[in-house]
Structures are given as structure tokens and as C-alpha cells.
Amino acid sequence: MTPRYLRPGRAAAICLAAVTLLAAAAGCGGDSGGKDGTVQLRFSWWGNNDRAAATQKVIEAFQAQNPGIKVAGETADFNAYFDKLATQTAANDAPDVITLGGAYPQEYGARGALLDLSRVSGELRTDQIDGAALGNGKFGGKQYGVPTGVNTFGVVVDPVVFEKANVPLPDDNAWTWADFVEIAKKVAAGSPKGTYGVADPSRPDALDLYSRQRSEGLYTPDGKVGISKQTLTDWFTMTTALRDSGAAPPASLTSELAGQPAPEQTLVGRGLAGMQIDWSNQLSALRKASGHPLKLLRAPGENAGKQPGMWLQASQLYTISSRSKHPKEAAKLVDFLVNSPEAGKIILTDRGIPANAQVRTAIEPTLTPDQTEQVQFIAKVTEKAGPPLVIGPAGSTDSVKILQRVNAEVLFNRESPAKGAEDFIDQLQAAIKK
């Protein structure tokens, strides 16, 4: 999934806090120059062995075009990566090019650990990267990162479930949230018992999308809760109506599936729901799990609200350490990663759909049908996307568990939609003030 809500754990945050004290210091750093004048760069990322192998191929292609630069890759599994990076950064030993995601770029940038990329604009071109995607790496007026690729948050639909229920697929250029509810009811009514119109849609990203259509958003640019009590009340009123009608699962099943279930555990992945609100990059895994030709649709209400709620979300961001001894060479590497068709043909969609349209075009002939559909969907959304997403402040990662708790209270009828809205806002405000 897209790691929007990730941030350092407590130990990592303690290490990262030391960055402020080191920001002005001219430490040894981790980069160096070879005796023959060759520039030595370090490049870090997280991921599995397949990603490491592909990244090494990209590094070799870059070095072939830049014989005076050598790049050493540093990778770790997801759980270890950020703790290691925080420790390295606090010790003034951060890699030159750092892959980040979620709330990390904002936190590292605010502490002076990341380079303002305007300083290397001659080496790193951003004019071909969509502005909405580029906004994911901009904080406090400074561009700290560029997207490795992008995803978006929409609706995954199962045409097989719709066909068996004798319900036509919705027109995602026109449908509203009221249409969404009615369609879910019809799918459930025409399906066998245990098959639903939609999986319960309550998750922070969905609240963000829904509230953005009302010109709100889950957070404000100054780091406060932005979603209103009325918007949340309307959301919970809608989801409880879906539950009551049988269009969505009962509270017990939704609670059982709460969190981040694997694709094969989801209702859509098991062929037991017609719709599921999810990330576009989950299409391949959900198709594989279900064995059905799932499709991606724009979210309901995109043409009916005050503004589009969907956004382009950076899968990850490439950033540069503020203490790199070779910022221009590091910028050349990032430029190659995001703007080179050669790099794009190696990475493909592993780090999201390329945000550079020229790279997207270059890789399309080599993509699988699943990947091609994702690319085409991103291109469709790009033309109509809303403003850049406001990334949540420190503490906002708690929103996932907070919403799970409140959603359970509402779905089990222990709280009214209005009370649930009030509780969610109160708990989220407390979390981001920690």
C-alpha cells in the first residue's frame, strides 16, 4: 500500500530529534570522493530482493552514463529501514539520496536533514512531473522530495459480481455518493447471501477524499484537524445506512476485517463484494486474489462536490541529505531515477506509476495488462485531480487506529454518527498535539 501514514517509532523519533543539533555541523558524513577523483554516493531504499535487483540495474545504467560517479546501494526491510535511517541521520552519517514516504519527508525536512531541491534545480528537472504529484514533497514552501511514482485512491469494482447481480457498472464521471449507496444496495439485493455491494469504506484516506470534495480535508496546512463534525456525521450516517440495508457487512465482519488485511483476505479479493475503496496500486494483487477482471473507477461525487477529492499520492519520495558533500551529483542520480525512460523501463511500476508522463509513455509497451490499466487510470485522474494532499502532522498516523475504534462504536450502535464524529475529532486532535 501507499505508506502515507508512516512516521518514526518512538526510538527513531528520539534519534531524529538530534538532527536539529547537528544540522549546522560540518560532520564527516557518509559520502566521500575516491582517490581517482570519482564521486562516491550512497543511495538508500526499503523493499524486497526484486526491488533491490532492479534498483541495482538502474544504478549500473546511471554509472555507465556518469563514469565519474559511483553509487553504493543501501537497502533494508521495511520495519528496519526507518529506525536505521534515523540513527544514521542523528550520527551525521545519512546516505546522499534517501527514499522516504508518508510523514517522514515533512519531519526530516523540518529538522534540517533534507536539502531544499531548489538549490540543485540545474541538475534535477521537475518540469515534466505533474504539479499535484510534486506537491507531495513540498513542505513549508520548500521542495524536499520528488515522487518515485504515484498512486491514487478510488474504487475497485468487480464486474463479475455486478453482472451476476444484474446491475450495470456505474458511470464514474457522473455518480454521486447517493448513487454509490443505491448501487451497493442493488448489488447486495441481487447477490447470494454473504456477498455485499461494498466493503465498509471507513478509513482515513476515504475521509480525506470525502471531505476534500467539500473543500475541507482531514488536516489543514498549519497542522490542525480540518474535517468538520458535520462531514463526519454525514459519513457515518451513510455507512450505517449501508450496514442496515445489508449493502455493507454487519459490524462484526467489518471489525474482523479492520486494519490492513492482505488482498486475499478482503471481501473483493474473495469475490464477496462488488466494490471496495482502495489504492490503485492494489489492483494487481486484488485481481490475482479474486481471479476476476476487477476495474478501477473514480470515486463517487468527484463532479458533484465543490472540488475533486481524489489526489495523486506519491508512492515514495526521493530526497537528498542536507549534509551530502555532493548534492549536485546526488541530484543527477535523482533526475535519472524519475526522468529517464531507461530507468523507467527497469523500475516499471514497482515504485508507483511514473509521475513523468514521458516515462509513462515509454514503459507502456512493456507492461502487463494490470499495470497498463493502472497507468491509464492515473492518466485519467491526473487530468481531473484535486489540489495536492495536505500531509498529516506528527501524530497523524494514530488516525488509523482512532478511526477503527470509533467506527466500531458507531457500527455496533454504541455511538450515534454525531457522537462518533465528535469522538473522532477529539481523539485525533489529542494525537497530533502530543
Side-chain angles (χ1 to χ4, degrees), residues 161 165 184 187-198 246-249 267 270-274:
V161 173
V187 171
S191 298
K193 184 177 180 181
T195 298
Y196 303 94
V198 64
L267 293 178
R270 292 153 58 193
L272 297 178

Side-chain angles (χ1 to χ4, degrees), residues 194-205:
T195 298
Y196 303 94
V198 64
D200 181 79
S202 294
R203 48 194 293 182
D205 299 300

Side-chain angles (χ1 to χ4, degrees), residues 39 51 111 167 220 285 297 319 387:
V39 169
R51 175 174 291 173
R111 291 174 169 85
V167 178
T220 64
L297 297 183
T319 67

